[in-house]
Structure formats: C-alpha cells, structure tokens
Amino acid sequence: MRYPCAVTVTFALCAFAPALAEAHCLAGARSFPATLAVEEPCVHEALALPDFAASSTGDLPADQGFDIGGHYSKRVFENLAIEVGRHWGWLGTPQGATFGPGAIETGVKYQFVTLPEQEFMASAMFSVEWGNTGALALGAPTYHIYTAGLAFGKGFGDLPFSLNLLRPFALTGDIGYSIPARASTMGPAFEVERNPQVLSTGLSLQYSMPYLRQHVVDLDLPRFVNRLVPLVELALETPVANTFTSGRATVGTVNPGVIYTDTAWQFGVEAMIPINRLSGRDVGVRAQLHLALDEILPPELSRPLFAGGPPMIGSGGAR
C-alpha cells in the first residue's frame, strides 16, 4: 500500500460523497460508529485510513513512538467480510530511532445476529498476524499469531420512555484469544523466550447525539454538536498461558474521546491513558478517519461479491 496516495483519494471521496443519512452498522434505529480501540460489531464495506497513534512505553526512560496505517474491509457475502490491514511505526529510544512496517494482518468477520428492536448485533472474527512480514525492531513477530473472537453492540433505545435521556447510550465490546504458531523462540542472546497466549478484551460506552436528535428530542443544537458521539473505551491485554517469561500482568489503556459522524465518513480522536506503568508512562493520542464505502462507491463497486451468505439471526442490520 502507498499511503500518501491513498490519503489523497480518501479525502477526495469524502468531498464528493452523496448527502445521505448515516447508515453505518445499523441495528434498528441504532447506528454504531466505528470505534478506535474496540472492534466494531458489524460487517460492511469500510476503509480506515489514516489510523494514527502516538504513545510511550513503560520503560524507564520511556521510549516514544507512533504508528500510522489503515485497514480495508470487503464483503464476500451480505454478512461476511474479509479484512486486511497494516501499520508503519516509528520508535525513538536512547540508542536511536527505528522506522519500519508492522506485520500484515488479515481476517474474516461473520455478522451472525442482528436484532433491530433490541438494537443488538454481534459478529464472530478470526484473524492472522503474519510472521516475518514486519520490522523485528518494532516488535513484529517471526511467527504467525492466530486470533479468534467476538464483537457486539447494544443500544439502550429499548428503555422505557421515562428514561428518555438514557436511550442514546450504547455499549460495544469485543473479546479475543490469540495463539502464537510457535510456543517459544530464541532471543538475540540465545535465550529462550516463551510466546504467551493472550486474552484481549475491549468495551466502549458511548452517547449518540444523532440518536438523541432523531429518536428522543431535538434540542435545536448546532449541526456540529448533533453529529458528535462522545465515548470512552477500555482496551486490555492479558497473557493467560505459556507465560513463564512474559508474566501475567494486564496492560491496556482507557480512551476518552469523541467521534464526529457525517454522511458516509467519520473522524474520531481519543486520549490513550495507560492503566499502569507497564502500559506506558505518558498519555498518548489516537485518531482515525473511517469511510463507509458502501455509502460512497457506486453499487457495482460496493456490493458483496456473492449473493446470499451464511445464516443470520434476525434481520435489518447488515447492509
């Protein structure tokens, strides 16, 4: 991928996108935005580019780094998509700076339930981080890593009308289990390093101003405010098996921020607050431009490759 050209194309697509209502990740009246740290719960045509993060490590003194990249999702069937992504990173240490690519990641996602009245949806996921495709100095593995997981979204729109102001709230979350293809590898000093199996969990709590205006009450706020989704995300990783050399300490970040949603694109920015010293020594920042390509591209370029697809509980949410 050549990202400078891709960024130019991205902003051009935004400029000429048709004036449609938001229709991203629909479950009934609920439109779930694509969150930055937690996997979105639906399947659709999407391009996240650029996806940028700047943070520090937990070392003393702390190393500073940033990465930029993106990922692309293409529907094979109406409710099943394949995904590919890659990032490039820079890491500054007392010994000098390193720049290079991260590992190539590919995956498949199957949206198996959508319950419009309950504003609920869920997807199953499987991904591979490919070994020997990234810079070792940036931590890219020399072995494949396989991850299976689930992602869900639940809106509060089915609350009673006496709780109207709570109805714009929504929860999304994910859980994944990663297994390395090699249980151990040899380090640079010929020491044996155990490659742990890792449990990753994520949760977001969000308040949709578009939902408030469209389905609860119109407060006659400015258009900009009516398109905001304030949220806080929590992303954690815990080694749970083969942890002799890695330990079992949980690392992660709390990410408060806001997403601006427009016709067929959104832009989000969040702080990255480490949960402990192992997770980092300074507050970082993350930002992402996300395009819903099925709202931008003509139907012949954005429809699924094949009709039909695997079964899905409920209906109305997958596009």
Side-chain angles (χ1 to χ4, degrees), residues 260-283:
Y260 178 86
T261 62
D262 209 323
T263 305
W265 61 275
Q266 63 173 59
F267 179 77
V269 60
E270 294 177 344
M272 300 172 63
I273 304 173
I275 63 168
N276 52 32
R277 284 298 187 188
L278 287 175
S279 305
R281 293 186 172 271
D282 300 302
V283 176

Side-chain angles (χ1 to χ4, degrees), residues 19-41:
L20 303 173
E22 288 89 349
H24 170 75
C25 223
L26 284 177
R30 177 71 52 175
S31 176
F32 294 100
T35 43
L36 282 68
V38 176
E39 183 71 30
E40 58 188 321

